[in-house]
Amino acid sequence: MFAKPFLLKPRTVKDTGIRKTVLDEPYTLAPEGGALLLKEFPARVKVGDPLFQQSSGTVLSPVNGVASLAREENGTKIRITQDGTFPSRKEPQPKRWSKQDACDAMDSLGVVSLDFCERSLSSFFRNSLPPKVILLSPYTKTQDIDFGPRLSEMSDCHQAFLQALADWFPGVTIRDYISDKKPPVREYSYPWGIPEYFAYRTERIPFQKFAEVLYLGPETLYHLYKALFSDFPFIERDASLFFLGKNGGLRKAQKPLTFRNGQNLKFLFEEFQDDFRWFTLNSFYENYPVRTVDESFYLDIRLHSSLILLARHDANRSEFPCVECGECSLNCPTKANPMALVGFRGKFQPGLCMECGICTFVCPSSISLRDRIRSFKEDRRGV
């Protein structure tokens, strides 16, 4: 039923230069519409102080400094001018947690689900209905960073959390693919890191039954363990850096970069702007817009996991008529048949589609099948 996943393999950049963060650039956070401000601004804040509450959870101050509100056309921002040092880190110490205390700690330390960024992590544990199965996956969505070695160094914390899960959800099946010596596949390939796909391939759970699964990816677990066992707030995230050259060659920086929430990427753009004038975020499978490096951009660690610098960009690139090559349906890992949405061959199967973006990525006619899929599903919701 399922085809072999499509895989994009970047090369590695050995030397990406020396970077310096400009401390006088304010950290800028953008609350969602309807977010609840938790302070009277302007205010002096410390690292980890709660700033506002929104659907994904509590957002904390990433630095010590003075925070103020800035009202702009596209919404209210919180700007923090740093004037203090970063906190020191503690060695993780495994300890026992009750579910209530752990959920309270997740909220107070701002831990979010990096697998489902629209929800707070604690909401998955506070659910009144227990899950049918708990899945601990070794793969992030695009596996730009392998968190396996990091979690191996926190094996005591991992075992403590497994015991906590067994106590919190008695009788529920727990599948630990983190410490399993035999990984689900020999070598990761996209879209194995998409939660619904992972659940189907490992446990044969249909997409429509995924709501019965408590899914925890390795990056979510890594930050959760830092919070529960090191008391470290979720204020920073490692992000991969990619370079797409003029000839289409993709390279990857040798090491990820650590960014604080709301950090201005100006310092990074200035370093590479002679060769890379545009950028986009996360992956080529997603529908993030391409921006110019002349714009200021503030990283949101809930949403942004990778940065892709581009040497060229055709802003006026248009869709061309379908050439019936069949690449979209051939490369579809779930055999949802996206080619049917451009009028050819059979029917589109929305129940099999997880919107991975592979069909749009491989289309030689630049047809945004992702947009057509979303429109198709939106139209069917009212039927």
Side-chain angles (χ1 to χ4, degrees):
M1 176 181 170
F2 281 61
K4 183 178 179 181
F6 183 83
L7 177 62
L8 180 67
K9 290 186 176 180
R11 299 197 306 274
T12 299
V13 177
K14 294 183 179 179
D15 184 11
T16 55
I18 299 172
R19 302 180 189 88
K20 294 182 180 179
T21 304
V22 182
L23 296 181
D24 59 0
E25 285 289 335
Y27 289 75
T28 301
L29 309 176
E32 294 175 354
L36 174 65
L37 298 180
L38 300 177
K39 286 189 177 295
E40 292 287 339
F41 294 96
R44 176 165 291 281
V45 296
K46 294 181 180 179
V47 171
D49 280 357
L51 299 178
F52 55 91
Q53 179 82 33
Q54 56 187 23
S55 60
S56 61
T58 303
V59 178
L60 312 178
S61 174
V63 292
N64 300 333
V66 176
S68 57
L69 295 182
R71 304 191 186 279
E72 302 178 356
E73 290 184 4
N74 56 350
T76 298
K77 305 287 195 301
I78 296 177
R79 299 193 187 282
I80 309 171
T81 301
Q82 179 190 336
D83 62 0
T85 58
F86 290 154
S88 59
R89 301 169 189 269
K90 304 176 185 176
E91 287 296 319
Q93 297 293 331
K95 56 181 288 191
R96 295 182 66 88
W97 284 93
S98 70
K99 185 167 71 168
Q100 181 63 51
D101 289 345
C103 288
D104 290 345
M106 293 176 205
D107 291 338
S108 65
L109 291 166
V111 185
V112 302
S113 170
L114 296 173
D115 309 302
F116 308 96
C117 60
E118 70 280 0
R119 287 183 60 183
S120 66
L121 184 58
S122 67
S123 67
F124 291 89
F125 297 95
R126 295 186 192 275
N127 197 331
S128 58
L129 293 176
K132 295 289 182 64
V133 63
I134 300 173
L135 286 182
L136 278 61
S137 168
Y139 306 130
T140 61
K141 192 167 185 180
T142 55
Q143 198 66 357
D144 293 338
I145 300 174
D146 182 3
F147 282 86
R150 303 189 191 194
L151 292 176
S152 294
E153 294 175 357
M154 306 171 79
S155 58
D156 290 346
C157 298
H158 184 65
Q159 293 304 316
F161 184 65
L162 286 174
Q163 183 58 56
L165 288 176
D167 294 339
W168 301 346
F169 302 103
V172 174
T173 300
I174 300 173
R175 299 294 192 200
D176 174 23
Y177 288 94
I178 299 290
S179 53
D180 193 336
K181 294 181 180 180
K182 185 178 180 182
V185 288
R186 182 175 299 177
E187 182 180 2
Y188 169 86
S189 56
Y190 186 78
W192 265 92
I194 293 179
E196 294 87 345
Y197 187 77
F198 185 88
Y200 178 83
R201 293 301 304 268
T202 57
E203 305 296 323
R204 292 297 184 263
I205 297 173
F207 290 176
Q208 60 268 28
K209 295 286 187 179
F210 186 75
E212 301 174 353
V213 177
L214 173 54
Y215 178 95
L216 297 165
E219 190 176 16
T220 297
L221 289 171
Y222 174 68
H223 288 284
L224 175 61
Y225 295 169
K226 288 207 302 181
L228 294 183
F229 304 119
S230 295
D231 197 32
F232 194 85
F234 182 60
I235 54 174
E236 64 182 25
R237 185 181 188 181
D238 286 349
S240 295
L241 178 61
F242 292 90
F243 302 85
L244 185 65
K246 291 182 179 179
N247 62 355
L250 184 68
R251 301 173 294 160
K252 182 181 180 183
Q254 198 168 33
K255 294 181 179 180
L257 304 176
T258 301
F259 292 103
R260 291 263 163 157
N261 198 21
Q263 188 170 357
N264 194 342
L265 299 187
K266 177 182 176 181
F267 75 98
L268 191 63
F269 296 156
E270 287 178 346
E271 182 176 347
F272 297 107
Q273 64 183 355
D274 290 343
D275 298 315
F276 298 91
R277 299 292 306 162
W278 298 270
F279 74 98
T280 189
L281 297 156
N282 289 9
S283 83
F284 295 102
Y285 304 111
E286 300 182 49
N287 195 26
Y288 278 91
V290 173
R291 307 169 186 265
T292 173
V293 297
D294 295 329
E295 305 174 24
S296 289
F297 185 80
Y298 304 94
L299 201 78
D300 185 333
I301 60 172
R302 300 169 306 122
L303 306 176
H304 307 141
S305 59
S306 296
L307 176 69
I308 307 168
L309 297 177
L310 312 173
R312 61 182 175 86
H313 170 59
D314 183 2
N316 298 315
R317 188 176 182 183
S318 303
E319 291 187 1
F320 296 97
C322 176
V323 296
E324 299 184 53
C325 65
E327 287 295 316
C328 55
S329 290
L330 180 65
N331 284 284
C332 177
T334 64
K335 295 301 181 184
N337 194 29
M339 192 175 178
L341 294 176
V342 288
F344 303 99
R345 300 180 185 175
K347 293 183 178 180
F348 174 62
Q349 304 293 325
L352 295 178
C353 176
M354 56 190 173
E355 300 181 31
C356 64
I358 289 175
C359 55
T360 296
F361 180 82
V362 300
C363 179
S365 297
S366 301
I367 298 173
S368 182
L369 286 158
R370 179 192 293 105
D371 291 342
R372 300 196 183 200
I373 287 168
R374 289 174 179 169
S375 295
F376 182 91
K377 290 183 177 181
E378 194 66 35
D379 291 343
R380 282 176 62 91
R381 282 173 190 159
V383 177

